[in-house]
């Protein structure tokens, strides 16, 4: 079983739609969680962290369910510029450095 | 702005060649990482370093070595390149006391081994 699992998509949605991505992780000792965004042929960049209480940043909402080992990302009012691959990322602290484990990503294509 | 640079965007090497990939960051970060990214497999950690001259194996270190002689520079070495090392290589750095341990990535080096 992969440490971090995501549906690869692609998710094809019209502009203005709401779309949700899910992710599961296998290590119950994982300490922190993130969503990174990767545009085509570009490097990944941090989109947002995921907190137990849930957190929101504009049109983006992230949720964590530790009991089910499940993370989600909700995008409201999708824009063309949201088209990208969204990487679910889990941090397991080795004690010497924070080690991030990346999911394979979910591709989103927003269309007119 | 944090800047992570990698020595080449594209590189073509022959099987058996020794290959050096260089990464430099300008934010005085302690931690540096080398990943490879392949379709369907995502980013996989090869090696990381949390201090000068310190290194730790990641998930797929076989066939690779690293060097960190200066804080800002982290090199990935392929001792004898093989075709299965054809991939996109991404370097990253982070501040261990930074918010959320955010990792900042370089633009990547697409390596083709023929």
């Amino acid at each position: 079983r992969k440490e971090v699992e995501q549906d690869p998509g692609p998710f094809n949605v019209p502009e203005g739609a709401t779309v949700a991505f899910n992710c599961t992780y296998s290590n119950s000792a994982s300490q922190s969680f993130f969503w990174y965004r990767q545009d085509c042929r570009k490097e990944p960049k941090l989109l947002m962290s995921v907190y137990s209480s849930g957190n929101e940043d504009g049109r983006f909402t992230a949720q964590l369910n530790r009991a089910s080992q499940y993370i989600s990302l909700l995008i409201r009012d999708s824009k063309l510029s949201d088209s990208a691959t969204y990487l679910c990322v889990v941090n397991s602290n080795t004690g010497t450095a924070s080690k991030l484990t990346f999911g394979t990503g979910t591709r989103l294509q927003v269309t007119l | 702005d944090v800047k992570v640079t990698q020595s080449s965007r594209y590189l073509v090497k022959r099987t058996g060649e020794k290959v050096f990939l260089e990464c430099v960051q300008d934010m005085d970060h302690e931690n540096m990482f080398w990943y490879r990214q392949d379709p369907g497999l995502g980013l996989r950690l090869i090696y990381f370093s949390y201090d000068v001259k310190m290194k730790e194996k990641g998930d797929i270190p076989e066939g690779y070595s690293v060097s960190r002689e200066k804080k800002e520079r982290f090199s990935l070495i392929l001792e004898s390149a093989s075709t299965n090392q054809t991939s996109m290589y991404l370097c990253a750095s982070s501040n261990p006391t930074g918010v959320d341990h955010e990792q900042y990535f370089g633009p990547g080096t697409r390596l083709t081994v023929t």
Side-chain angles (χ1 to χ4, degrees):
Chain A
R1 186 186 170 189
K2 287 183 182 174
E3 280 191 64
V4 180
E5 292 208 60
Q6 297 180 249
D7 181 342
F11 284 59
N12 295 299
V13 302
E15 231 183 346
T18 295
V19 62
F21 306 137
N22 303 319
C23 165
T24 57
Y25 61 95
S26 60
N27 184 354
S28 58
S30 298
Q31 298 173 349
S32 48
F33 310 88
F34 311 94
W35 285 100
Y36 275 64
R37 171 191 167 132
Q38 186 172 23
D39 293 311
C40 190
R41 297 191 179 87
K42 297 279 192 179
E43 70 272 22
K45 292 185 180 178
L46 179 65
L47 176 68
M48 61 195 302
S49 303
V50 188
Y51 304 122
S52 297
S53 54
N55 49 302
E56 194 173 305
D57 182 3
R59 298 181 293 108
F60 298 82
T61 301
Q63 298 272 1
L64 167 65
N65 183 322
R66 281 191 186 270
S68 302
Q69 295 181 205
Y70 171 98
I71 304 156
S72 66
L73 177 68
L74 182 79
I75 306 175
R76 288 181 301 278
D77 188 25
S78 300
K79 311 288 184 194
L80 292 174
S81 57
D82 294 334
S83 298
T85 296
Y86 291 84
L87 306 173
C88 176
V89 185
V90 172
N91 177 28
S92 52
N93 197 330
T94 68
T96 51
S98 273
K99 183 185 163 206
L100 299 183
T101 300
F102 289 77
T104 53
T106 298
R107 194 155 69 87
L108 171 65
Q109 183 67 50
V110 182
T111 56
L112 286 170
Chain B
D1 255 5
V2 174
K3 197 145 188 191
V4 181
T5 56
Q6 295 183 227
S7 49
S8 307
R9 291 301 302 271
Y10 299 93
L11 209 52
V12 180
K13 295 290 181 181
R14 291 187 186 272
T15 301
E17 278 193 83
K18 191 168 186 175
V19 181
F20 293 87
L21 302 182
E22 305 283 345
C23 174
V24 178
Q25 49 96 2
D26 67 358
M27 282 302 290
D28 203 36
H29 284 169
E30 275 81 14
N31 299 335
M32 295 188 75
F33 307 83
W34 274 106
Y35 296 89
R36 63 179 282 178
Q37 187 172 28
D38 301 286
L41 297 175
L43 276 93
R44 292 179 291 165
L45 182 63
I46 304 171
Y47 267 96
F48 63 100
S49 168
Y50 52 90
D51 202 351
V52 175
K53 297 194 187 294
M54 305 303 285
K55 60 187 179 186
E56 283 200 28
K57 292 179 180 179
D59 300 316
I60 51 162
E62 297 78 20
Y64 303 95
S65 62
V66 290
S67 171
R68 190 149 181 220
E69 296 296 319
K70 292 185 178 181
K71 192 175 186 180
E72 67 272 17
R73 188 178 296 268
F74 192 34
S75 303
L76 179 71
I77 302 148
L78 287 66
E79 294 290 340
S80 176
S82 63
T83 54
N84 63 12
Q85 292 178 309
T86 291
S87 186
M88 170 66 83
Y89 289 87
L90 288 155
C91 174
S93 72
S94 72
N95 180 347
T97 59
V99 175
D100 296 331
H101 308 284
E102 179 178 356
Q103 289 192 10
Y104 297 86
F105 285 83
T109 295
R110 186 164 291 283
L111 172 67
T112 302
V113 182
T114 60

